[in-house]
Amino acid sequence: AERQFNLASQGRRQAGSAFKPFVLGAAIDDGLSIRSRFKAPAKIKLETGFEPWEVENYDKKSYGTIDLIEATEFSVNTVYAQLILKVGPRKALEIAHQAGIVSKLSAVPSLTLGTSVVSPVEMAGAYASFATGGMHAAPYTISRIEDSDGEEIFKAEVEPARALDEPVANTVAYALQQVVENGTGTRAQLGNRPVGGKTGTTED
């Protein structure tokens, strides 16, 4: 009330590893299997066409050779760095925008680690596109307004539209469920209800 600042819609933060599902979606859309295997060392140095890019896993662990499901479950930076170079930052950016991210994103390799800033509400809206089989409905704050006589003077008209191919969205949603069932997001479990999600860390 004092600051007139809505953190959900106006707050802008780096998404951190919570951005990885869009890179995964780009890879799947490109025809890559979620069972594709990558080397997952604790540290890796990659050629980008500019300066070499050094990436380290958040937990400093090596995971041997793992598939993309495991890399998502345990948020393995060294795998996702390889993945964005394979599909291209531009492709990852496009999938993020299709899913519902409206902020300007930089088509650079570090996008896979969530270095571009976004708002919580657009992240929630974009994640919803995975949960609904690829249908996106733009988030809105006011659903309807009535005047003092109870007459409706405004109603939000939001029609879901196809944003992602259904197999792409469903495959990402499956991977996100594994994060909560077996990976870094187990504290988000809700009893017997299916839950999908992704942890993301930035600025400690």
Side-chain angles (χ1 to χ4, degrees):
E2 290 177 9
R3 297 181 185 177
Q4 292 295 296
F5 183 78
N6 185 320
L7 185 61
S9 60
Q10 296 171 293
R12 305 189 55 73
R13 299 283 187 276
Q14 291 183 336
S17 290
F19 197 87
K20 286 174 181 167
F22 305 116
V23 182
L24 181 62
I28 295 163
D29 193 59
D30 231 19
L32 209 63
S33 168
I34 200 166
R35 294 292 182 185
S36 300
R37 298 182 70 78
F38 290 78
K39 290 181 179 177
K43 284 184 181 180
I44 197 168
K45 183 183 284 189
L46 299 166
E47 294 299 326
T48 64
F50 300 98
E51 292 184 3
W53 183 30
E54 293 189 16
V55 178
E56 186 175 31
N57 291 333
Y58 180 75
D59 57 10
K60 309 291 194 292
K61 284 174 57 178
S62 172
Y63 289 84
T65 300
I66 58 176
D67 63 25
L68 290 176
I69 293 180
E70 294 169 290
T72 307
E73 284 178 356
F74 299 105
S75 203
V76 183
N77 291 343
T78 54
V79 170
Y80 267 88
Q82 296 170 72
L83 188 62
I84 198 167
L85 291 179
K86 191 172 183 68
V87 301
R90 178 67 56 185
K91 173 76 174 179
L93 179 153
E94 289 170 359
I95 289 292
H97 282 318
Q98 284 174 221
I101 297 296
V102 295
S103 292
K104 184 177 179 181
L105 303 173
S106 298
V108 294
S110 63
L111 183 64
T112 196
L113 304 179
T115 51
S116 288
V117 295
V118 291
S119 73
V121 73
E122 67 184 308
M123 282 292 282
Y127 266 51
S129 298
F130 297 129
T132 56
M135 300 299 289
H136 177 68
Y140 57 92
T141 25
I142 298 172
S143 57
R144 62 195 299 263
I145 300 173
E146 293 179 357
D147 64 16
S148 57
D149 296 322
E151 292 293 319
E152 184 176 87
I153 57 176
F154 169 82
K155 183 177 183 180
E157 301 289 349
V158 178
E159 287 292 327
R162 171 65 56 195
L164 303 169
D165 287 343
E166 189 170 2
V168 172
N170 288 345
T171 304
V172 174
Y174 172 78
L176 295 180
Q177 282 185 263
Q178 307 318 301
V179 173
V180 177
E181 288 181 18
N182 311 304
T184 56
T186 53
R187 285 184 293 174
Q189 291 177 4
L190 296 174
N192 294 324
R193 179 176 298 183
V195 178
K198 181 73 190 73
T199 52
T201 306
T202 182
E203 297 176 355
D204 296 324

